[in-house]
Amino acid sequence: MTRCASDSAAAGQTETGRTFELSDEVATEALGAALAPLLARGDVLALTGDLGAGKTTLARGIVRSLGYRGTVPSPTFTLVQHYEIDPLPVAHFDLYRIGAADEIVELGFDEARAEGIVLLEWPERMGSYLPADRLQIALDYDAAGKARLARVRGPGDWAERLRALSP
Ligand SMILES: Nc1ncnc2c1ncn2[C@@H]1O[C@H](COP(=O)(O)OP(=O)(O)OP(=O)(O)O)[C@@H](O)[C@H]1O
Ligand SMILES: [Mg+2]
């Protein structure tokens, strides 16, 4: 994982961001592992990017770094996977297949956020239910289509918290 640049232009004045070049799957998981210690109960992380961009890989890095030792599969079909990690449980949603935005309520989004950390793949599918204070992690393919680029930004105190993110 290579630290690239501080990126405030795209994010606006109140949201400064960080950009990372991720040369392979290991680097994507390592970014997740580096984010994990910065997270607290109630945090919502929105992982965006095209099919196969690396959203599940990054989520796996977070879940494992928080102490979960088992398999961390894609929630493509289950829609949500719960990890009962003590003291900070994680709910990992993949909203690609939800029919309507309000299904997120039945899936237990509010309860999951009250208890721990929420990771969202395809967050745009939950429409107006998506919290404004989320950390946004955008994954893109690089020009050659092999490595990935991650842009991480969030409002409020996220900029301060992201400063602790080691390269
Ligand atoms: N930085 C990277 N460079 C190259 N390949 C990567 C990188 N990060 C992850 N991958 C690989 O990309 C593939 C897709 O990863 P992943 O399943 O995490 O994507 P996704 O965004 O969750 O996909 P989906 O949209 O289907 O949920 C995997 O084979 C993974 O190993
Ligand atoms: Mg996925």
Side-chain angles (χ1 to χ4, degrees), residues 43 59-60 62-64 66-86 88-95 103-121:
D43 284 345
R60 187 174 294 130
I62 293 172
V63 169
R64 288 201 174 136
L66 288 172
Y68 186 76
R69 297 283 163 248
T71 310
V72 182
S74 170
T76 309
F77 296 104
T78 55
L79 302 185
V80 58
Q81 295 280 342
H82 292 279
Y83 298 96
E84 298 303 329
I85 305 167
D86 185 24
L88 210 47
V90 177
H92 176 196
F93 293 85
D94 184 333
L95 305 180
E103 282 180 33
I104 189 70
V105 178
E106 293 154 44
L107 284 171
F109 175 82
D110 291 336
E111 294 84 349
R113 190 177 189 189
E115 287 171 12
I117 293 166
V118 176
L119 309 178
L120 298 166
E121 295 188 44

Side-chain angles (χ1 to χ4, degrees), residues 6-165:
S6 194
D7 139 41
S8 56
Q13 288 188 333
T14 57
E15 289 189 31
T16 50
R18 302 271 305 267
T19 304
F20 297 89
E21 279 175 13
L22 307 171
S23 56
D24 56 19
E25 176 184 2
V26 174
T28 305
E29 221 177 301
L31 176 59
L35 279 165
L38 312 181
L39 302 180
R41 178 168 287 107
D43 284 345
V44 175
L45 276 60
L47 311 174
T48 63
D50 288 345
L51 281 169
K55 302 177 292 294
T56 298
T57 306
L58 195 131
R60 187 174 294 130
I62 293 172
V63 169
R64 288 201 174 136
S65 179
L66 288 172
Y68 186 76
R69 297 283 163 248
T71 310
V72 182
S74 170
T76 309
F77 296 104
T78 55
L79 302 185
V80 58
Q81 295 280 342
H82 292 279
Y83 298 96
E84 298 303 329
I85 305 167
D86 185 24
L88 210 47
V90 177
H92 176 196
F93 293 85
D94 184 333
L95 305 180
Y96 191 71
R97 289 169 189 274
I98 64 169
D102 61 4
E103 282 180 33
I104 189 70
V105 178
E106 293 154 44
L107 284 171
F109 175 82
D110 291 336
E111 294 84 349
R113 190 177 189 189
E115 287 171 12
I117 293 166
V118 176
L119 309 178
L120 298 166
E121 295 188 44
W122 300 98
E124 54 273 42
R125 307 273 164 127
M126 65 189 279
S128 59
Y129 290 92
L130 185 60
D133 60 353
R134 66 192 180 272
L135 182 69
Q136 191 81 32
I137 303 176
L139 290 155
D140 283 307
Y141 290 84
D142 78 349
K146 285 181 83 181
R148 311 286 197 269
L149 203 66
R151 284 172 293 123
V152 185
R153 64 186 163 85
D157 69 351
W158 276 116
E160 180 62 33
R161 292 164 72 184
L162 292 175
R163 261 194 274 279
L165 197 55

